[in-house]
Amino acid sequence: MEPKKKMNSYILAVDGGATKTTLSLRDASGKIYFEKTSTSTNYQAIGIEKAEKAFSQLLHEAYEATGIQDIAVAAFAVAGIDTKKGQTIVQQIVEQSCRKSLFRIQHIIVENDVQSTLIGLTGNDAGALVISGTGSTAYATDGKGRIERTGGWGHRVGDEGSGYWIGREILNTVFRYEDGRLQKPTVLKDLVYEMLQIDHIEQLNDWIYQTNYTNAQIAKISTVLSKAISLGDERAIDIACNAAKELVIMTDAVLRKIEPIHEGFIVYLNGGVLKNNPVILKLYKEYMMEQYPHISFDLCNQNPIDYIANRALRSLK
């Protein structure tokens, strides 16, 4: 058991994602005393009671493993906090979980996970964070406390340029090809069929409308895009160009909310689409530089929990 230190030495960082949750207990120097990943804490997906139970279990395990009791800051960065109603619900879940724990927490922060990550990245500087993973969103700050957002409204009405959006575009292409609505052939059909181990359009339809359907499954289809592009598939190239353009539109919209954009402004990039599809990343940067020639880009390579920990540590200063 770690010996106790004086107050304000320790922080808790919690990355509450849609599919998993990571809790990390660190001191002000960044030393990690406990870190564990568990199940989802998204109340919209699993319900309020299960979300609270998941948070409580992680907090309990952290205390049992370290014996540390006094926590200066606990930063809960949770996916799905997109409205005032969502903020209130998650705030109540987190506060109830903390009350049940044996920790004495001086300050609790509950906010959208992308906003937390942005603060962890930029600190007191102006900057933006663009994410294209299963979904897509963009946040920007002027470095003076103002934070703006664009996108992130979910697959039913948005998520343009995301893995889900790309996957849906690929599937639409396959159906259009099989129907005879495309004049040119596309290798996307063969790549999708190979990935899903099917050989008929009806099997693809059955897969899409299966009872255990998830957005992540559709997003996974996007991984065939790079190979199709390498084979010179015109439709795949069009999808990549359109994805990059959608991400640029989203980025431009959020940057215009915090104008002016000065030289040295950094746009941080994260998410599987931008990390794993070099063509989309290249096109995105080229399109952005046409509008903002003085900005720079930084592809995030740390674990998400590290950015949340930085956000908590910055609040100590």
Side-chain angles (χ1 to χ4, degrees), residues 141-193:
T141 177
D142 62 359
K144 301 175 183 178
R146 181 180 179 186
I147 295 177
E148 297 288 352
R149 161 193 168 173
T150 299
W153 301 114
H155 72 285
R156 293 185 181 181
V157 293
D159 279 346
E160 295 88 351
S162 69
Y164 174 85
W165 184 90
I166 293 169
R168 189 181 61 192
E169 291 291 300
I170 291 172
L171 292 173
N172 178 262
T173 296
V174 174
F175 279 105
R176 290 172 69 85
Y177 173 75
E178 291 280 40
D179 279 347
R181 290 183 282 158
L182 289 183
Q183 294 183 352
K184 294 183 179 181
T186 174
V187 299
L188 288 169
K189 171 203 162 184
D190 293 334
L191 293 174
V192 170
Y193 281 16

Side-chain angles (χ1 to χ4, degrees), residues 216-285:
Q217 289 172 330
I218 300 297
K220 192 174 181 181
I221 296 295
S222 68
T223 60
V224 307
L225 192 69
S226 291
K227 186 172 183 179
I229 292 172
S230 71
L231 295 171
D233 188 271
E234 290 185 19
R235 182 54 189 149
I237 294 171
D238 286 343
I239 292 173
C241 289
N242 291 334
K245 288 177 181 177
E246 289 289 353
L247 294 174
V248 168
I249 291 170
M250 184 173 66
T251 308
D252 176 56
V254 79
L255 294 187
R256 283 188 281 108
K257 294 178 181 179
I258 61 162
E259 286 181 334
I261 304 301
H262 300 292
E263 188 171 350
F265 188 95
I266 300 176
V267 176
Y268 296 92
L269 306 174
N270 208 350
V273 170
L274 291 168
K275 287 185 174 182
N276 302 320
N277 196 310
V279 172
I280 292 178
L281 177 62
K282 180 175 180 292
L283 289 169
Y284 169 81
K285 288 182 177 180

